[in-house]
Short mmCIF file of all heavy atoms in Angstrom, two decimals:
data_model
loop_
_atom_site.label_atom_id
_atom_site.label_comp_id
_atom_site.label_asym_id
_atom_site.label_seq_id
_atom_site.Cartn_x
_atom_site.Cartn_y
_atom_site.Cartn_z
N ARG A 285 9.94 -11.38 18.11
CA ARG A 285 8.68 -10.99 18.72
C ARG A 285 8.87 -9.58 19.39
O ARG A 285 9.95 -9.30 19.86
CB ARG A 285 8.24 -11.97 19.80
CG ARG A 285 7.95 -13.33 19.26
CD ARG A 285 7.64 -14.33 20.29
NE ARG A 285 6.43 -13.99 21.08
CZ ARG A 285 5.99 -14.63 22.11
NH1 ARG A 285 6.57 -15.77 22.50
NH2 ARG A 285 4.96 -14.24 22.79
N TYR A 286 7.83 -8.83 19.43
CA TYR A 286 7.97 -7.46 19.95
C TYR A 286 6.61 -7.07 20.61
O TYR A 286 5.55 -7.29 20.05
CB TYR A 286 8.27 -6.52 18.76
CG TYR A 286 8.32 -5.04 19.17
CD1 TYR A 286 9.23 -4.55 20.13
CD2 TYR A 286 7.39 -4.10 18.62
CE1 TYR A 286 9.25 -3.21 20.49
CE2 TYR A 286 7.43 -2.81 18.98
CZ TYR A 286 8.37 -2.33 19.93
OH TYR A 286 8.39 -1.01 20.24
N LEU A 287 6.71 -6.44 21.75
CA LEU A 287 5.64 -5.86 22.45
C LEU A 287 5.91 -4.38 22.61
O LEU A 287 6.88 -3.97 23.25
CB LEU A 287 5.36 -6.50 23.86
CG LEU A 287 4.35 -5.86 24.71
CD1 LEU A 287 2.91 -6.04 24.06
CD2 LEU A 287 4.34 -6.34 26.16
N SER A 288 5.14 -3.58 21.96
CA SER A 288 5.38 -2.10 22.08
C SER A 288 5.15 -1.64 23.52
O SER A 288 4.40 -2.22 24.25
CB SER A 288 4.45 -1.38 21.09
OG SER A 288 3.06 -1.68 21.41
N PRO A 289 5.84 -0.65 23.91
CA PRO A 289 5.80 -0.24 25.28
C PRO A 289 4.39 0.03 25.81
O PRO A 289 3.56 0.67 25.15
CB PRO A 289 6.59 1.15 25.31
CG PRO A 289 7.62 0.94 24.16
CD PRO A 289 6.82 0.16 23.11
N VAL A 290 4.12 -0.49 27.01
CA VAL A 290 2.80 -0.35 27.65
C VAL A 290 3.02 0.31 28.98
O VAL A 290 4.10 0.28 29.57
CB VAL A 290 2.09 -1.79 27.83
CG1 VAL A 290 1.79 -2.37 26.46
CG2 VAL A 290 2.93 -2.71 28.63
N LYS A 291 1.93 0.84 29.56
CA LYS A 291 1.99 1.37 30.84
C LYS A 291 0.64 1.31 31.56
O LYS A 291 -0.33 0.85 30.94
CB LYS A 291 2.41 2.90 30.79
CG LYS A 291 1.41 3.76 30.06
CD LYS A 291 1.90 5.19 29.96
CE LYS A 291 2.00 5.82 31.38
NZ LYS A 291 2.35 7.27 31.35
N GLY A 292 0.62 1.63 32.77
CA GLY A 292 -0.62 1.64 33.53
C GLY A 292 -1.04 0.37 34.20
O GLY A 292 -0.22 -0.63 34.20
N ALA A 293 -2.25 0.30 34.75
CA ALA A 293 -2.67 -0.80 35.59
C ALA A 293 -2.72 -2.12 34.81
O ALA A 293 -2.45 -3.16 35.38
CB ALA A 293 -4.01 -0.55 36.15
N HIS A 294 -3.07 -2.06 33.50
CA HIS A 294 -3.08 -3.28 32.72
C HIS A 294 -1.83 -3.64 32.05
O HIS A 294 -1.75 -4.68 31.32
CB HIS A 294 -4.25 -3.13 31.72
CG HIS A 294 -5.60 -2.84 32.31
ND1 HIS A 294 -6.28 -3.80 33.07
CD2 HIS A 294 -6.39 -1.75 32.29
CE1 HIS A 294 -7.45 -3.20 33.45
NE2 HIS A 294 -7.47 -2.01 33.06
N GLY A 295 -0.80 -2.85 32.19
CA GLY A 295 0.44 -3.12 31.52
C GLY A 295 1.07 -4.42 31.94
O GLY A 295 1.62 -5.20 31.10
N MET A 296 1.00 -4.76 33.24
CA MET A 296 1.65 -5.97 33.72
C MET A 296 1.00 -7.20 33.13
O MET A 296 1.76 -8.18 32.79
CB MET A 296 1.55 -6.00 35.26
CG MET A 296 2.48 -7.02 35.94
SD MET A 296 4.22 -6.51 35.77
CE MET A 296 5.00 -8.03 35.31
N SER A 297 -0.28 -7.20 33.03
CA SER A 297 -0.97 -8.30 32.41
C SER A 297 -0.56 -8.52 30.92
O SER A 297 -0.37 -9.71 30.54
CB SER A 297 -2.50 -8.12 32.51
OG SER A 297 -3.23 -9.17 31.93
N ARG A 298 -0.35 -7.50 30.20
CA ARG A 298 0.03 -7.62 28.83
C ARG A 298 1.42 -8.12 28.69
O ARG A 298 1.78 -8.94 27.81
CB ARG A 298 -0.11 -6.25 28.10
CG ARG A 298 -1.56 -5.81 27.93
CD ARG A 298 -1.69 -4.57 27.00
NE ARG A 298 -1.12 -4.80 25.71
CZ ARG A 298 -0.90 -3.89 24.79
NH1 ARG A 298 -1.20 -2.62 25.07
NH2 ARG A 298 -0.42 -4.21 23.66
N ILE A 299 2.30 -7.64 29.65
CA ILE A 299 3.66 -8.12 29.57
C ILE A 299 3.73 -9.62 29.93
O ILE A 299 4.47 -10.41 29.28
CB ILE A 299 4.54 -7.33 30.62
CG1 ILE A 299 4.70 -5.97 30.05
CG2 ILE A 299 5.86 -7.95 30.78
CD1 ILE A 299 5.38 -4.95 31.04
N LEU A 300 2.99 -10.10 30.92
CA LEU A 300 2.97 -11.54 31.25
C LEU A 300 2.44 -12.33 30.12
O LEU A 300 2.96 -13.40 29.82
CB LEU A 300 2.13 -11.68 32.53
CG LEU A 300 2.70 -11.27 33.88
CD1 LEU A 300 1.64 -11.32 34.96
CD2 LEU A 300 3.90 -12.12 34.19
N ASP A 301 1.37 -11.83 29.46
CA ASP A 301 0.77 -12.56 28.33
C ASP A 301 1.77 -12.66 27.16
O ASP A 301 1.75 -13.67 26.39
CB ASP A 301 -0.49 -11.85 27.82
CG ASP A 301 -1.66 -12.01 28.74
OD1 ASP A 301 -1.65 -12.98 29.64
OD2 ASP A 301 -2.53 -11.17 28.75
N HIS A 302 2.68 -11.70 27.12
CA HIS A 302 3.69 -11.69 26.00
C HIS A 302 4.90 -12.59 26.33
O HIS A 302 5.34 -13.27 25.45
CB HIS A 302 4.12 -10.28 25.74
CG HIS A 302 5.15 -10.16 24.66
ND1 HIS A 302 4.82 -10.17 23.30
CD2 HIS A 302 6.47 -10.06 24.67
CE1 HIS A 302 5.94 -10.09 22.55
NE2 HIS A 302 6.96 -10.03 23.36
N LEU A 303 5.30 -12.59 27.56
CA LEU A 303 6.56 -13.26 28.00
C LEU A 303 6.35 -14.74 28.29
O LEU A 303 7.35 -15.51 28.20
CB LEU A 303 7.06 -12.61 29.17
CG LEU A 303 7.87 -11.27 28.98
CD1 LEU A 303 8.31 -10.70 30.31
CD2 LEU A 303 9.08 -11.48 28.11
N TYR A 304 5.16 -15.22 28.68
CA TYR A 304 5.08 -16.53 29.31
C TYR A 304 5.55 -17.70 28.42
O TYR A 304 5.99 -18.73 28.95
CB TYR A 304 3.63 -16.75 29.77
CG TYR A 304 2.66 -17.29 28.72
CD1 TYR A 304 2.46 -18.65 28.62
CD2 TYR A 304 2.03 -16.41 27.82
CE1 TYR A 304 1.56 -19.13 27.61
CE2 TYR A 304 1.17 -16.93 26.88
CZ TYR A 304 0.95 -18.23 26.80
OH TYR A 304 0.08 -18.74 25.82
N ASN A 305 5.41 -17.58 27.12
CA ASN A 305 5.73 -18.71 26.24
C ASN A 305 7.04 -18.47 25.54
O ASN A 305 7.30 -19.10 24.47
CB ASN A 305 4.62 -19.11 25.30
CG ASN A 305 4.22 -17.88 24.43
OD1 ASN A 305 4.69 -16.77 24.58
ND2 ASN A 305 3.26 -18.11 23.53
N TYR A 306 7.89 -17.53 25.98
CA TYR A 306 9.23 -17.43 25.40
C TYR A 306 10.02 -18.68 25.77
O TYR A 306 10.01 -19.16 26.84
CB TYR A 306 9.98 -16.22 26.05
CG TYR A 306 9.77 -14.85 25.28
CD1 TYR A 306 8.57 -14.51 24.79
CD2 TYR A 306 10.86 -14.02 25.09
CE1 TYR A 306 8.40 -13.31 24.19
CE2 TYR A 306 10.70 -12.84 24.48
CZ TYR A 306 9.48 -12.46 23.95
OH TYR A 306 9.33 -11.30 23.39
N GLN A 307 10.73 -19.19 24.72
CA GLN A 307 11.49 -20.41 24.94
C GLN A 307 12.87 -20.29 24.42
O GLN A 307 13.07 -19.62 23.35
CB GLN A 307 10.81 -21.63 24.20
CG GLN A 307 9.40 -21.93 24.71
CD GLN A 307 9.34 -22.45 26.17
OE1 GLN A 307 10.36 -22.82 26.68
NE2 GLN A 307 8.20 -22.41 26.70
N PRO A 308 13.86 -20.86 25.04
CA PRO A 308 15.28 -20.81 24.52
C PRO A 308 15.33 -21.64 23.27
O PRO A 308 14.62 -22.63 23.09
CB PRO A 308 16.09 -21.44 25.66
CG PRO A 308 15.15 -22.35 26.37
CD PRO A 308 13.82 -21.63 26.32
N THR A 309 16.15 -21.21 22.29
CA THR A 309 16.31 -21.84 21.04
C THR A 309 17.76 -22.35 20.88
O THR A 309 18.55 -22.14 21.78
CB THR A 309 15.98 -20.91 19.90
OG1 THR A 309 16.96 -19.84 19.84
CG2 THR A 309 14.59 -20.29 20.10
N ARG A 310 18.05 -22.91 19.74
CA ARG A 310 19.40 -23.33 19.40
C ARG A 310 20.11 -22.32 18.47
O ARG A 310 21.17 -22.56 18.02
CB ARG A 310 19.41 -24.70 18.71
CG ARG A 310 18.83 -25.81 19.61
CD ARG A 310 18.89 -27.16 18.90
NE ARG A 310 18.29 -28.22 19.72
CZ ARG A 310 18.91 -28.88 20.65
NH1 ARG A 310 20.22 -28.63 20.90
NH2 ARG A 310 18.30 -29.82 21.36
N SER A 311 19.47 -21.15 18.35
CA SER A 311 20.04 -20.12 17.45
C SER A 311 21.20 -19.35 18.22
O SER A 311 21.19 -19.39 19.46
CB SER A 311 18.94 -19.14 17.01
OG SER A 311 17.91 -19.79 16.39
N TYR A 312 22.00 -18.73 17.49
CA TYR A 312 23.09 -17.84 18.00
C TYR A 312 22.61 -16.39 17.78
O TYR A 312 22.30 -16.00 16.68
CB TYR A 312 24.40 -18.12 17.37
CG TYR A 312 25.02 -19.40 17.76
CD1 TYR A 312 24.77 -20.65 17.07
CD2 TYR A 312 25.83 -19.50 18.91
CE1 TYR A 312 25.28 -21.83 17.52
CE2 TYR A 312 26.39 -20.71 19.32
CZ TYR A 312 26.12 -21.86 18.59
OH TYR A 312 26.69 -23.03 19.01
N GLY A 313 22.61 -15.66 18.81
CA GLY A 313 22.08 -14.29 18.75
C GLY A 313 23.04 -13.41 17.94
O GLY A 313 24.25 -13.44 18.15
N ASP A 314 22.48 -12.56 17.11
CA ASP A 314 23.26 -11.65 16.27
C ASP A 314 23.06 -10.28 16.87
O ASP A 314 22.04 -9.63 16.72
CB ASP A 314 22.76 -11.68 14.81
CG ASP A 314 23.62 -10.80 13.83
OD1 ASP A 314 24.38 -9.95 14.40
OD2 ASP A 314 23.54 -11.01 12.66
N TYR A 315 24.08 -9.73 17.52
CA TYR A 315 23.97 -8.43 18.21
C TYR A 315 23.88 -7.27 17.23
O TYR A 315 23.28 -6.28 17.47
CB TYR A 315 25.19 -8.23 19.15
CG TYR A 315 25.07 -8.96 20.41
CD1 TYR A 315 25.66 -10.21 20.58
CD2 TYR A 315 24.33 -8.46 21.51
CE1 TYR A 315 25.53 -10.91 21.81
CE2 TYR A 315 24.26 -9.11 22.67
CZ TYR A 315 24.80 -10.41 22.85
OH TYR A 315 24.70 -11.07 24.06
N ALA A 316 24.53 -7.44 16.08
CA ALA A 316 24.39 -6.38 15.04
C ALA A 316 22.99 -6.26 14.55
O ALA A 316 22.44 -5.12 14.37
CB ALA A 316 25.41 -6.66 13.87
N GLU A 317 22.32 -7.42 14.30
CA GLU A 317 20.93 -7.40 13.81
C GLU A 317 20.06 -6.81 14.91
O GLU A 317 19.12 -6.13 14.68
CB GLU A 317 20.49 -8.82 13.48
CG GLU A 317 19.21 -8.96 12.78
CD GLU A 317 18.08 -9.20 13.75
OE1 GLU A 317 18.35 -9.61 14.89
OE2 GLU A 317 16.90 -8.98 13.31
N LEU A 318 20.32 -7.21 16.21
CA LEU A 318 19.54 -6.67 17.37
C LEU A 318 19.67 -5.15 17.36
O LEU A 318 18.66 -4.42 17.60
CB LEU A 318 20.04 -7.31 18.68
CG LEU A 318 19.47 -6.73 19.93
CD1 LEU A 318 17.96 -6.95 20.01
CD2 LEU A 318 20.16 -7.27 21.15
N THR A 319 20.86 -4.66 17.28
CA THR A 319 21.06 -3.19 17.26
C THR A 319 20.21 -2.51 16.21
O THR A 319 19.61 -1.50 16.39
CB THR A 319 22.56 -2.87 17.14
OG1 THR A 319 23.30 -3.47 18.21
CG2 THR A 319 22.79 -1.38 17.10
N THR A 320 20.25 -3.09 15.02
CA THR A 320 19.50 -2.51 13.88
C THR A 320 17.99 -2.47 14.20
O THR A 320 17.31 -1.47 13.94
CB THR A 320 19.74 -3.30 12.59
OG1 THR A 320 21.19 -3.29 12.35
CG2 THR A 320 18.98 -2.73 11.42
N ARG A 321 17.50 -3.54 14.76
CA ARG A 321 16.08 -3.59 15.11
C ARG A 321 15.67 -2.57 16.18
O ARG A 321 14.58 -1.89 16.03
CB ARG A 321 15.71 -5.05 15.64
CG ARG A 321 15.78 -6.05 14.61
CD ARG A 321 15.56 -7.49 15.25
NE ARG A 321 14.25 -7.60 15.88
CZ ARG A 321 14.00 -8.53 16.76
NH1 ARG A 321 14.86 -9.34 17.19
NH2 ARG A 321 12.74 -8.64 17.25
N ILE A 322 16.51 -2.42 17.20
CA ILE A 322 16.19 -1.47 18.24
C ILE A 322 16.22 -0.02 17.68
O ILE A 322 15.27 0.77 17.98
CB ILE A 322 17.16 -1.65 19.38
CG1 ILE A 322 16.98 -2.99 20.09
CG2 ILE A 322 16.96 -0.48 20.42
CD1 ILE A 322 18.01 -3.26 21.23
N LEU A 323 17.22 0.30 16.88
CA LEU A 323 17.27 1.66 16.34
C LEU A 323 16.10 1.94 15.39
O LEU A 323 15.68 3.12 15.29
CB LEU A 323 18.62 1.81 15.66
CG LEU A 323 19.88 1.86 16.51
CD1 LEU A 323 21.13 1.97 15.65
CD2 LEU A 323 19.82 2.99 17.52
N ARG A 324 15.63 0.88 14.75
CA ARG A 324 14.49 1.12 13.84
C ARG A 324 13.23 1.24 14.62
O ARG A 324 12.30 2.05 14.16
CB ARG A 324 14.40 -0.06 12.84
CG ARG A 324 13.32 0.10 11.81
CD ARG A 324 13.30 -1.12 10.81
NE ARG A 324 12.88 -2.31 11.46
CZ ARG A 324 13.68 -3.35 11.65
NH1 ARG A 324 14.90 -3.27 11.32
NH2 ARG A 324 13.24 -4.48 12.24
N MET A 325 13.01 0.45 15.65
CA MET A 325 11.75 0.40 16.38
C MET A 325 11.61 1.47 17.46
O MET A 325 10.55 2.02 17.76
CB MET A 325 11.55 -0.93 17.01
CG MET A 325 11.36 -2.05 16.10
SD MET A 325 11.22 -3.71 17.01
CE MET A 325 10.89 -4.80 15.64
N GLN A 326 12.70 1.85 18.10
CA GLN A 326 12.70 2.79 19.25
C GLN A 326 13.45 4.01 18.91
O GLN A 326 14.69 4.12 19.05
CB GLN A 326 13.28 2.05 20.47
CG GLN A 326 13.03 2.77 21.75
CD GLN A 326 11.61 2.92 22.12
OE1 GLN A 326 10.82 1.99 21.94
NE2 GLN A 326 11.22 4.02 22.63
#
Side-chain angles (χ1 to χ4, degrees):
R285 298 176 59 182
Y286 175 63
L287 173 67
S288 58
V290 296
K291 64 180 298 186
H294 301 291
M296 196 69 225
S297 179
R298 291 188 60 187
I299 291 172
L300 287 170
D301 289 339
H302 180 81
L303 282 176
Y304 85 95
N305 56 357
Y306 270 42
Q307 300 294 343
T309 67
R310 298 183 182 276
S311 303
Y312 288 90
D314 186 342
Y315 282 95
E317 190 267 342
L318 172 65
T319 300
T320 302
R321 289 173 64 197
I322 294 175
L323 292 175
R324 183 178 68 250
M325 294 178 175
Q326 190 64 40

